[in-house]
Amino acid sequence: MIKITFPDGAIREYAKGSTALDIAKSISEGLARKVLAASVNGQVWDATRPILEDSTLKLLTWSDTDGKSTFWHSSAHLLAEAVESLYPGVKFWVGPAVDNGFYYDMDLGGQQITEEDLRKLEAKMAELAKKNEVYQRKEISKGDAVKYFSDKGDEYKLDLLQNLKDGEITFYTQGGFTDLCRGPHIPNTGFIKAVKLTNIAGAYWKGDEKNKQLTRVYGVTYPSQKELDEYLVLLEEAKKRDHRKLGKELGIFTFDDEVGPGLPLWMPNGAIIIEELEKLAKESEERAGYKRVVTPHIAKESLYITSGHLPYYQDSMFPPMELEGVKYYLKSMNCPHHHKIFAAEQKSYKDLPYRLAEYGTCYRYEQSGELFGLMRVRCLHMNDAHIYCTREQFYEEFKAVNEMYLKYFKIFGIDKYVMRLSLHNPAKLGQKYIDEPELWKETETLVRDVLIRTNTPFVEVQDEAAFYGPKIDIQIWSTIGREFTLATNQVDFAQGRRFKLEFTNRDNQTENPLIIHRAPLGTHERFIGFLLEHYAGKFPVWLAPLQVKILPISDKFLDYAQNLLQSLKNADIRAEIDDRSEKIGKKIRDTELSKVPYMLVIGEKEMNDNKVAVRRQGKGDLGVKTVDEFIEGVKLEIRSRSSE
Amino acid sequence: MIKITFPDGAIREYAKGSTALDIAKSISEGLARKVLAASVNGQVWDATRPILEDSTLKLLTWSDTDGKSTFWHSSAHLLAEAVESLYPGVKFWVGPAVDNGFYYDMDLGGQQITEEDLRKLEAKMAELAKKNEVYQRKEISKGDAVKYFSDKGDEYKLDLLQNLKDGEITFYTQGGFTDLCRGPHIPNTGFIKAVKLTNIAGAYWKGDEKNKQLTRVYGVTYPSQKELDEYLVLLEEAKKRDHRKLGKELGIFTFDDEVGPGLPLWMPNGAIIIEELEKLAKESEERAGYKRVVTPHIAKESLYITSGHLPYYQDSMFPPMELEGVKYYLKSMNCPHHHKIFAAEQKSYKDLPYRLAEYGTCYRYEQSGELFGLMRVRCLHMNDAHIYCTREQFYEEFKAVNEMYLKYFKIFGIDKYVMRLSLHNPAKLGQKYIDEPELWKETETLVRDVLIRTNTPFVEVQDEAAFYGPKIDIQIWSTIGREFTLATNQVDFAQGRRFKLEFTNRDNQTENPLIIHRAPLGTHERFIGFLLEHYAGKFPVWLAPLQVKILPISDKFLDYAQNLLQSLKNADIRAEIDDRSEKIGKKIRDTELSKVPYMLVIGEKEMNDNKVAVRRQGKGDLGVKTVDEFIEGVKLEIRSRSSE
């Protein structure tokens, strides 16, 4: 018998050689039908592989990332089987799972796969899946493996074999298809109920453009047709809401080759959104007692040695500039500069909590290949702040930060979010984590309490804290259900000491403050990218670059339009006149397309009555209102940052 | 006879060998008494040096920079004469004129000069000056010159002689003192009526710390005691108003060794002033139809090759960072980034004028030794904008920019200012200046017209334009009469073409726009430095970091103080309570010292009547007011940006 320890700590005995699937069945048949793979002693395994010793076990299903990627990797094998049956002689390179599905790279030996062919391959995959073929694992000697692929004439797999050690090589076979593969795989093909091949692309062998170009087929599979359909709808919607597409159409941002990749230039409409977000941050931070500061974008090497960014964070920093024999670095974070402001004047406990805020612009190095629109950039405008406080003040301060997050979620209509509380590992104190067991316990408890008492949904993750304290990563979901990671909210006991930040306590002794690092609105780049998708570019009035468009029915009403424009401007409403000699229908259509929230149609009647006919983007006619009535309504909508 | 051409173009004939002084006398004795030197064919000469050929002539007096520096350089010789008479055996290095006076470096051979000794030297200088000794110029062969200083045993002057060519060496003698000197000098010592030696310092020979340390004596002289006295009062006042001293006392900015020289960290009080200035800029720019943009602080080398910053401006730029084989530079100006935004979308004449504004942060390299508080820094937050317009729009656009300058001068109580209009030199078209004679004539005329029609005081300077167009440098004077150079206002016909910026004109042809570069508030760094001196740290209410301090007479009134504080905050007034257990007299004194504009003293009577006893910084008691009355008054003062 072997002892199996479950995630909840329960321990049960099973016959030696039991598989994860056996164990699942012993719990319930329903559960067994969902098991895709298993985590055995922290390693992802086939659910059908015999367990031979005492182990920890976690059953992996569709709701686990590892379960999903096992499912998709097995789908890549299914794709290969289908391709091989329709394109005899095809040779395969690699077929991994990716973020949303899988791909397989293949050498079709001069044959082509067209969009139409993808439909045929999907049908073939579905047909093969229904056979419930088992994914059979087989350990094989290097000699036998080489012989197998030599006989098959597959130079790609032979190339892969070169780098593998004898005794560590496995084959997986389902139906008539055998692949060199480390695994793991799902129990059988029957789990794959819905298939969509999404794309064909060229890919150089080993990513090197000097090599032969292979064909890469992308696909995604689901355990039910319903889930696949939902995903495809989401995909379609996400395409329409692609922040890069909308960002260009709406004049939000642009990139320029001579400026450089990952360095967005914010166009006038983007700058308005930035201003509004900064205004929001400033207002809430001022109300919460923050002080603003402004710090340079560079500093000497020695600052980053003190902070520990050098060498620990060097890979994410821009290379230095050497000036008068001294190296200067672009800042990748604002904290060291803020610490210097804290230290510039003597502090006593009466000055704490001391909260320094700055929409600071940081520069981080990301590889060109990793850059992606506003989501992965090299220039980041961060809604940053650092709170220096005593231990006694910590709970209230952390709670206030958390409340600020929740307030923002409400403003932006973010209904789904999870905070990921990353804790330390007591076994690694003094190595991965600063050796302050009491402070760890204390702050982790305080942070957890805040989350519980404020009913904030959260999950706990062991052994993922920052080296200087526990942290919270915030994950949010856009209206269409895509997940984004926003900024982190961190506790820090280390930097205060590294920077010799001190205050005099009530007993007239010097102490180091605790520091909270927080950035509820994250960076402009990622947040505006998120908002573009979230609102599909149809920003709520307070954020809309242009809030009102005045549409005169003919040139006769241009004077009235001008008066109206002035009244709107006096009320700080961003407005323009469509003074083109176009039919009103076209003016309305064009304005709808440019996603301006309000349209004011004006003709004879409106002019004579000093009124406006109001249309709301996406909602149509709202009827005729007096100018004052309309202005008051919009002002209220802006002031309340309504996103109805 | 020789022909002398005067600055007004008049030409008169004089005997060959006439001196500038002779010519001045021929005009008027009064004028002659003021002539310190002369500009002969563009070179500054002794007024007593015979002119031997047809020449242009400008007589230089105290009101000319060159006249002043000749006066001060001659005063340095007078100082040397005085030192030599009191410290026999002294050896001299160099004694130049500087911005406000002169200095002389000397080797006293072990002797000391104390503060007291300076008074003795001043008396000696005054005594020598009264002798009206002539500054006698003498051309001398290198051999004779070397012999003279070898006999004197003066190794310093011998060192200087090494680098001089035979035939170009002159001695100047006044009274018993002879110096190796290129000149020029004032006619005689009698012009020097008032002497003040201001400082003694050490200075390494040739500025190299490995060399011997010499003694540097600083001084300033004037043509009348009255002017010297006024200057000394100004100096005293300027010391009190020193922006570095006030900046520290008031928590405006700080420098940190680990961040780097020339990189100010803006503390909370400084950030408030920055915010207010930016608000002012945004308001006036929005009203004037500018669009805001936000651009990164770096760009690829190729951008600066296109712009011409590389290589022409390279010395003022930070060195590059090399990333993935590409050089990136910190931006030293915002224009190239703005041009890229202009170019990002197609433009027609209907889109012009297109005005892009950004409080962009630029980085410029200044040598460590040149850095000075906020006045010479390496990080500059610029109130920048670029206006892209057609030729027809240029006059109105330039006029509007000029009006913005004048509006700002009014807000900040800047009564004295001069615009320096720098023009091109037609002889250098195609070399120093872009070869567009018509555009030069046209825009210079337009710019001059704007200045004349708006009654703006200005001076014209030949041959000092930018290579791409005429420019205006703005000089302003602080309350205590010190001069500052603010930003420039420039016309640009070149960059539009270099960047291939285009718009479609009414005839459907592509044209390059004219560009106006403007920065009315200059940089935060220099402008706030100026304001600190200008206001002596006593900022008008709208700019004051803390606007109101509430001073409860005792703890009994703390609740009322809290209510009051909330009312002030609700009205967006920056306020604090002095809740220390101090006597009210001390609270008032301390608040006066920290330069807070308003103090509200509250006691029994005020609390019962819901009133406040108002004191104004520097003005004392303003009487008792209701809370509402006070708040309304302050709100008005803030809104109108009053600086009464």
Side-chain angles (χ1 to χ4, degrees), chain B residues 319-336:
Chain B
M321 295 162 275
E322 198 164 327
L323 201 69
E324 298 178 343
V326 177
K327 284 185 184 158
Y328 286 81
Y329 282 87
L330 277 171
K331 68 177 171 186
S332 59
M333 297 186 187
N334 299 302
C335 22

PDB file of all heavy atoms in Angstrom, chain B residues 319-336:
ATOM      1  N   PRO B 319      24.530  60.876 -23.147  1.00  0.00           N
ATOM      2  CA  PRO B 319      25.076  59.831 -24.024  1.00  0.00           C
ATOM      3  C   PRO B 319      24.023  58.747 -24.263  1.00  0.00           C
ATOM      4  O   PRO B 319      23.069  58.626 -23.505  1.00  0.00           O
ATOM      5  CB  PRO B 319      26.255  59.281 -23.224  1.00  0.00           C
ATOM      6  CG  PRO B 319      25.977  59.631 -21.812  1.00  0.00           C
ATOM      7  CD  PRO B 319      25.189  60.888 -21.833  1.00  0.00           C
ATOM      8  N   PRO B 320      24.186  57.971 -25.324  1.00  0.00           N
ATOM      9  CA  PRO B 320      23.150  56.994 -25.674  1.00  0.00           C
ATOM     10  C   PRO B 320      23.158  55.739 -24.789  1.00  0.00           C
ATOM     11  O   PRO B 320      24.136  55.444 -24.113  1.00  0.00           O
ATOM     12  CB  PRO B 320      23.517  56.617 -27.108  1.00  0.00           C
ATOM     13  CG  PRO B 320      24.983  56.838 -27.197  1.00  0.00           C
ATOM     14  CD  PRO B 320      25.298  57.985 -26.286  1.00  0.00           C
ATOM     15  N   MET B 321      22.030  55.028 -24.833  1.00  0.00           N
ATOM     16  CA  MET B 321      21.916  53.682 -24.256  1.00  0.00           C
ATOM     17  C   MET B 321      21.803  52.741 -25.435  1.00  0.00           C
ATOM     18  O   MET B 321      21.034  53.030 -26.360  1.00  0.00           O
ATOM     19  CB  MET B 321      20.615  53.553 -23.469  1.00  0.00           C
ATOM     20  CG  MET B 321      20.534  54.443 -22.268  1.00  0.00           C
ATOM     21  SD  MET B 321      18.808  54.648 -21.700  1.00  0.00           S
ATOM     22  CE  MET B 321      18.268  56.000 -22.751  1.00  0.00           C
ATOM     23  N   GLU B 322      22.502  51.653 -25.410  1.00  0.00           N
ATOM     24  CA  GLU B 322      22.432  50.746 -26.557  1.00  0.00           C
ATOM     25  C   GLU B 322      21.619  49.507 -26.231  1.00  0.00           C
ATOM     26  O   GLU B 322      21.930  48.755 -25.317  1.00  0.00           O
ATOM     27  CB  GLU B 322      23.831  50.372 -27.044  1.00  0.00           C
ATOM     28  CG  GLU B 322      23.755  49.831 -28.454  1.00  0.00           C
ATOM     29  CD  GLU B 322      25.107  49.806 -29.137  1.00  0.00           C
ATOM     30  OE1 GLU B 322      25.930  50.701 -28.847  1.00  0.00           O
ATOM     31  OE2 GLU B 322      25.332  48.886 -29.933  1.00  0.00           O
ATOM     32  N   LEU B 323      20.548  49.328 -26.993  1.00  0.00           N
ATOM     33  CA  LEU B 323      19.574  48.287 -26.729  1.00  0.00           C
ATOM     34  C   LEU B 323      19.337  47.489 -28.000  1.00  0.00           C
ATOM     35  O   LEU B 323      18.968  48.054 -29.025  1.00  0.00           O
ATOM     36  CB  LEU B 323      18.263  48.977 -26.322  1.00  0.00           C
ATOM     37  CG  LEU B 323      17.263  48.162 -25.533  1.00  0.00           C
ATOM     38  CD1 LEU B 323      17.814  47.899 -24.143  1.00  0.00           C
ATOM     39  CD2 LEU B 323      15.964  48.955 -25.401  1.00  0.00           C
ATOM     40  N   GLU B 324      19.551  46.184 -27.940  1.00  0.00           N
ATOM     41  CA  GLU B 324      19.356  45.327 -29.116  1.00  0.00           C
ATOM     42  C   GLU B 324      20.038  45.931 -30.343  1.00  0.00           C
ATOM     43  O   GLU B 324      19.477  45.936 -31.441  1.00  0.00           O
ATOM     44  CB  GLU B 324      17.856  45.116 -29.376  1.00  0.00           C
ATOM     45  CG  GLU B 324      17.161  44.393 -28.219  1.00  0.00           C
ATOM     46  CD  GLU B 324      15.652  44.220 -28.430  1.00  0.00           C
ATOM     47  OE1 GLU B 324      15.076  44.904 -29.285  1.00  0.00           O
ATOM     48  OE2 GLU B 324      15.061  43.387 -27.712  1.00  0.00           O
ATOM     49  N   GLY B 325      21.226  46.488 -30.135  1.00  0.00           N
ATOM     50  CA  GLY B 325      22.000  47.011 -31.252  1.00  0.00           C
ATOM     51  C   GLY B 325      21.575  48.381 -31.743  1.00  0.00           C
ATOM     52  O   GLY B 325      22.107  48.892 -32.725  1.00  0.00           O
ATOM     53  N   VAL B 326      20.593  49.004 -31.069  1.00  0.00           N
ATOM     54  CA  VAL B 326      20.116  50.326 -31.486  1.00  0.00           C
ATOM     55  C   VAL B 326      20.436  51.327 -30.376  1.00  0.00           C
ATOM     56  O   VAL B 326      20.280  51.017 -29.194  1.00  0.00           O
ATOM     57  CB  VAL B 326      18.586  50.305 -31.731  1.00  0.00           C
ATOM     58  CG1 VAL B 326      18.075  51.686 -32.100  1.00  0.00           C
ATOM     59  CG2 VAL B 326      18.232  49.284 -32.807  1.00  0.00           C
ATOM     60  N   LYS B 327      20.883  52.528 -30.761  1.00  0.00           N
ATOM     61  CA  LYS B 327      21.147  53.557 -29.759  1.00  0.00           C
ATOM     62  C   LYS B 327      19.878  54.340 -29.459  1.00  0.00           C
ATOM     63  O   LYS B 327      19.181  54.789 -30.374  1.00  0.00           O
ATOM     64  CB  LYS B 327      22.225  54.511 -30.275  1.00  0.00           C
ATOM     65  CG  LYS B 327      23.614  53.914 -30.202  1.00  0.00           C
ATOM     66  CD  LYS B 327      24.653  54.933 -30.613  1.00  0.00           C
ATOM     67  CE  LYS B 327      26.025  54.280 -30.624  1.00  0.00           C
ATOM     68  NZ  LYS B 327      26.956  55.020 -31.470  1.00  0.00           N
ATOM     69  N   TYR B 328      19.599  54.518 -28.187  1.00  0.00           N
ATOM     70  CA  TYR B 328      18.476  55.345 -27.749  1.00  0.00           C
ATOM     71  C   TYR B 328      19.028  56.557 -26.999  1.00  0.00           C
ATOM     72  O   TYR B 328      19.987  56.428 -26.240  1.00  0.00           O
ATOM     73  CB  TYR B 328      17.555  54.565 -26.812  1.00  0.00           C
ATOM     74  CG  TYR B 328      16.706  53.551 -27.532  1.00  0.00           C
ATOM     75  CD1 TYR B 328      17.220  52.312 -27.885  1.00  0.00           C
ATOM     76  CD2 TYR B 328      15.393  53.839 -27.879  1.00  0.00           C
ATOM     77  CE1 TYR B 328      16.454  51.380 -28.565  1.00  0.00           C
ATOM     78  CE2 TYR B 328      14.611  52.915 -28.558  1.00  0.00           C
ATOM     79  CZ  TYR B 328      15.144  51.692 -28.895  1.00  0.00           C
ATOM     80  OH  TYR B 328      14.367  50.787 -29.576  1.00  0.00           O
ATOM     81  N   TYR B 329      18.406  57.719 -27.208  1.00  0.00           N
ATOM     82  CA  TYR B 329      18.822  58.929 -26.512  1.00  0.00           C
ATOM     83  C   TYR B 329      17.670  59.475 -25.669  1.00  0.00           C
ATOM     84  O   TYR B 329      16.505  59.406 -26.084  1.00  0.00           O
ATOM     85  CB  TYR B 329      19.210  60.016 -27.517  1.00  0.00           C
ATOM     86  CG  TYR B 329      20.579  59.822 -28.133  1.00  0.00           C
ATOM     87  CD1 TYR B 329      20.751  59.043 -29.270  1.00  0.00           C
ATOM     88  CD2 TYR B 329      21.691  60.431 -27.571  1.00  0.00           C
ATOM     89  CE1 TYR B 329      22.004  58.868 -29.833  1.00  0.00           C
ATOM     90  CE2 TYR B 329      22.953  60.268 -28.133  1.00  0.00           C
ATOM     91  CZ  TYR B 329      23.110  59.478 -29.261  1.00  0.00           C
ATOM     92  OH  TYR B 329      24.351  59.310 -29.801  1.00  0.00           O
ATOM     93  N   LEU B 330      18.009  60.032 -24.509  1.00  0.00           N
ATOM     94  CA  LEU B 330      17.041  60.828 -23.770  1.00  0.00           C
ATOM     95  C   LEU B 330      16.730  62.063 -24.608  1.00  0.00           C
ATOM     96  O   LEU B 330      17.646  62.668 -25.166  1.00  0.00           O
ATOM     97  CB  LEU B 330      17.642  61.275 -22.432  1.00  0.00           C
ATOM     98  CG  LEU B 330      17.571  60.281 -21.284  1.00  0.00           C
ATOM     99  CD1 LEU B 330      18.408  60.796 -20.113  1.00  0.00           C
ATOM    100  CD2 LEU B 330      16.136  60.064 -20.822  1.00  0.00           C
ATOM    101  N   LYS B 331      15.475  62.472 -24.674  1.00  0.00           N
ATOM    102  CA  LYS B 331      15.157  63.632 -25.505  1.00  0.00           C
ATOM    103  C   LYS B 331      15.650  64.916 -24.846  1.00  0.00           C
ATOM    104  O   LYS B 331      15.515  65.086 -23.639  1.00  0.00           O
ATOM    105  CB  LYS B 331      13.664  63.708 -25.818  1.00  0.00           C
ATOM    106  CG  LYS B 331      12.729  64.011 -24.655  1.00  0.00           C
ATOM    107  CD  LYS B 331      11.271  64.115 -25.151  1.00  0.00           C
ATOM    108  CE  LYS B 331      10.295  64.199 -23.990  1.00  0.00           C
ATOM    109  NZ  LYS B 331       8.890  64.149 -24.409  1.00  0.00           N
ATOM    110  N   SER B 332      16.228  65.784 -25.651  1.00  0.00           N
ATOM    111  CA  SER B 332      16.662  67.078 -25.134  1.00  0.00           C
ATOM    112  C   SER B 332      15.647  68.141 -25.518  1.00  0.00           C
ATOM    113  O   SER B 332      15.670  69.255 -25.024  1.00  0.00           O
ATOM    114  CB  SER B 332      18.036  67.438 -25.683  1.00  0.00           C
ATOM    115  OG  SER B 332      17.973  67.475 -27.095  1.00  0.00           O
ATOM    116  N   MET B 333      14.761  67.798 -26.433  1.00  0.00           N
ATOM    117  CA  MET B 333      13.677  68.687 -26.854  1.00  0.00           C
ATOM    118  C   MET B 333      12.478  67.809 -27.204  1.00  0.00           C
ATOM    119  O   MET B 333      12.639  66.643 -27.526  1.00  0.00           O
ATOM    120  CB  MET B 333      14.072  69.482 -28.091  1.00  0.00           C
ATOM    121  CG  MET B 333      15.243  70.418 -27.858  1.00  0.00           C
ATOM    122  SD  MET B 333      15.542  71.451 -29.291  1.00  0.00           S
ATOM    123  CE  MET B 333      17.071  72.258 -28.768  1.00  0.00           C
ATOM    124  N   ASN B 334      11.292  68.408 -27.168  1.00  0.00           N
ATOM    125  CA  ASN B 334      10.088  67.639 -27.467  1.00  0.00           C
ATOM    126  C   ASN B 334       9.700  67.664 -28.944  1.00  0.00           C
ATOM    127  O   ASN B 334       8.862  66.880 -29.379  1.00  0.00           O
ATOM    128  CB  ASN B 334       8.904  68.184 -26.656  1.00  0.00           C
ATOM    129  CG  ASN B 334       9.141  68.080 -25.163  1.00  0.00           C
ATOM    130  OD1 ASN B 334       9.370  66.994 -24.647  1.00  0.00           O
ATOM    131  ND2 ASN B 334       9.120  69.204 -24.453  1.00  0.00           N
ATOM    132  N   CYS B 335      10.297  68.602 -29.711  1.00  0.00           N
ATOM    133  CA  CYS B 335       9.795  68.802 -31.078  1.00  0.00           C
ATOM    134  C   CYS B 335       9.780  67.525 -31.921  1.00  0.00           C
ATOM    135  O   CYS B 335       8.744  67.244 -32.545  1.00  0.00           O
ATOM    136  CB  CYS B 335      10.480  69.956 -31.802  1.00  0.00           C
ATOM    137  SG  CYS B 335      12.080  70.467 -31.217  1.00  0.00           S
ATOM    138  N   PRO B 336      10.858  66.744 -31.974  1.00  0.00           N
ATOM    139  CA  PRO B 336      10.788  65.581 -32.873  1.00  0.00           C
ATOM    140  C   PRO B 336       9.615  64.647 -32.551  1.00  0.00           C
ATOM    141  O   PRO B 336       8.940  64.154 -33.457  1.00  0.00           O
ATOM    142  CB  PRO B 336      12.128  64.877 -32.631  1.00  0.00           C
ATOM    143  CG  PRO B 336      13.046  65.950 -32.149  1.00  0.00           C
ATOM    144  CD  PRO B 336      12.183  66.857 -31.337  1.00  0.00           C
TER     145      PRO B 336
END
